[in-house]
Amino acid sequence: GVSGSNALTPVDVGINASYTVSKVGVGADHACALVNDGSSNFIQCWGKNTSGQLGDGTQTDSLVPVTVSGSTGATAIAVGSGFTCAIISGGAYCWGS
């Protein structure tokens, strides 16, 4: 997982090794990935969560990826400064500030 320290070389962020990552989006203080567990796509995010931008229903920062609530069926992600948007089951959804 992520240590919370600066890294001078690539560091594994801790997404389950059995998941396939197809897209990554990076904001100012958080990042998200579109992943597939073998049966469906969903989103996982990690980093600062002061505005709820991780989408897990909390405002708790996370050094490890957390699953975005209701993100099953996601096909695209876009990450901004304190918010995240995605296409989920054909609809556009955003969370955070």
Side-chain angles (χ1 to χ4, degrees), residues 49-79:
N49 197 25
T50 52
S51 300
Q53 62 265 44
L54 299 187
D56 65 347
T58 75
Q59 289 182 290
T60 304
D61 298 348
S62 182
L63 292 176
V64 296
V66 295
T67 299
V68 173
S69 300
S71 66
T72 299
T75 55
I77 56 172
V79 180

Side-chain angles (χ1 to χ4, degrees), residues 23-50:
K23 296 176 183 169
V24 175
V26 180
D29 294 317
H30 78 294
C32 298
L34 180 63
V35 299
N36 185 289
D37 64 2
S39 62
S40 62
N41 287 340
F42 57 96
I43 301 166
Q44 292 196 315
C45 298
W46 60 96
K48 296 260 186 190
N49 197 25
T50 52

